[in-house]
Amino acid sequence: MCRNRPSTFTYVVTEQFSEWQATHRSLCRRPPKGGKSQLNYIDPISWSAIQRAVSEIGEKSAVIKTHGVPDKRLLEAIERGEVFASAVIRDPREIALSLLDHAKRSRSLGVGDFAEIETVTDTFKVLDDQINRLSRWMAIGKVLLLAYDEISFDTESAVQRIIDQLGISVAAANVISALPDRSK
């Protein structure tokens, strides 16, 4: 179902749950702070950043996307069940190839986003950084770990695992059928 950007797809799926579960609360999409992203993207991510978002949105629910490292207080909030979190992983070899493609596009567009990466060896530091960030998220047992292949090729299973984590009653097929068109 999802051919690329599984972390964004996971964000959209989780946001869909929030819309269904918002009985006395409504879902908030915070206006983007720069860039073209329409996602609730926060980086760096921390408990104080979450608290700032809560102060902006009040009693509404929000789904946040990040590629950042959580601080200790955020991990403690996840452990207490105040915040739900998931992490999306992909085979490091695939990440390396994706980084090379991304870098090539960046160079052709004249942008700096990973443009310095030219060889597989150049990807190693980025991969190490990503593995270290993942390790930080996974330091507690409450973060749902989703694999890229599961999201991409066994979408219903991934959606069901998110449903189970959130403890809600909805059929995975209903969530999938209500998702926006992939091209959007």
Side-chain angles (χ1 to χ4, degrees), residues 18-19 21-27 54 57-61:
S18 296
E19 289 174 0
Q21 293 300 307
T23 53
H24 69 283
R25 304 169 94 174
S26 58
L27 181 70
V54 168
I57 65 174
E59 290 297 312
K60 297 177 181 176
S61 297

Side-chain angles (χ1 to χ4, degrees), residues 114-126:
F114 298 113
E116 73 284 359
I117 295 175
E118 294 185 12
T119 69
V120 170
T121 304
D122 295 338
T123 68
F124 293 170
K125 174 151 180 14
V126 176

Side-chain angles (χ1 to χ4, degrees), residues 1-2 147-160 176:
M1 168 152 201
C2 173
Y148 175 92
D149 287 352
E150 180 183 18
I151 295 165
S152 299
F153 307 113
D154 191 7
T155 306
E156 191 163 338
S157 170
V159 169
Q160 186 60 54
I176 293 168

Side-chain angles (χ1 to χ4, degrees), residues 126-166:
V126 176
L127 292 171
D128 287 344
D129 291 346
Q130 289 183 0
I131 290 168
N132 289 335
R133 280 195 306 273
L134 176 64
S135 296
R136 188 67 194 260
W137 282 102
M138 300 312 295
I140 60 170
K142 299 270 185 144
V143 176
L144 176 64
L145 187 62
L146 296 163
Y148 175 92
D149 287 352
E150 180 183 18
I151 295 165
S152 299
F153 307 113
D154 191 7
T155 306
E156 191 163 338
S157 170
V159 169
Q160 186 60 54
R161 292 183 61 222
I162 296 168
I163 290 169
D164 294 344
Q165 180 199 32
L166 298 176

Side-chain angles (χ1 to χ4, degrees), residues 47 71-82 140:
W47 181 240
D71 66 5
K72 181 179 182 210
R73 290 176 52 212
L74 177 54
L75 289 173
E76 290 168 350
I78 294 167
E79 186 73 43
R80 290 188 304 269
E82 293 177 39
I140 60 170

Side-chain angles (χ1 to χ4, degrees), residues 4-67:
N4 58 20
R5 301 182 194 255
S7 59
T8 299
F9 178 75
T10 304
Y11 168 92
V12 171
V13 167
T14 308
E15 186 177 65
Q16 189 68 40
F17 295 138
S18 296
E19 289 174 0
W20 279 332
Q21 293 300 307
T23 53
H24 69 283
R25 304 169 94 174
S26 58
L27 181 70
C28 176
R29 174 157 282 168
R30 299 167 65 228
K33 293 184 169 56
K36 297 179 183 177
S37 175
Q38 294 299 307
L39 302 176
N40 289 346
Y41 187 83
I42 297 177
D43 195 14
I45 189 74
S46 64
W47 181 240
S48 61
I50 298 295
Q51 289 179 312
R52 280 192 303 277
V54 168
S55 72
E56 289 177 25
I57 65 174
E59 290 297 312
K60 297 177 181 176
S61 297
V63 179
I64 306 296
K65 179 180 175 182
T66 189
H67 290 137

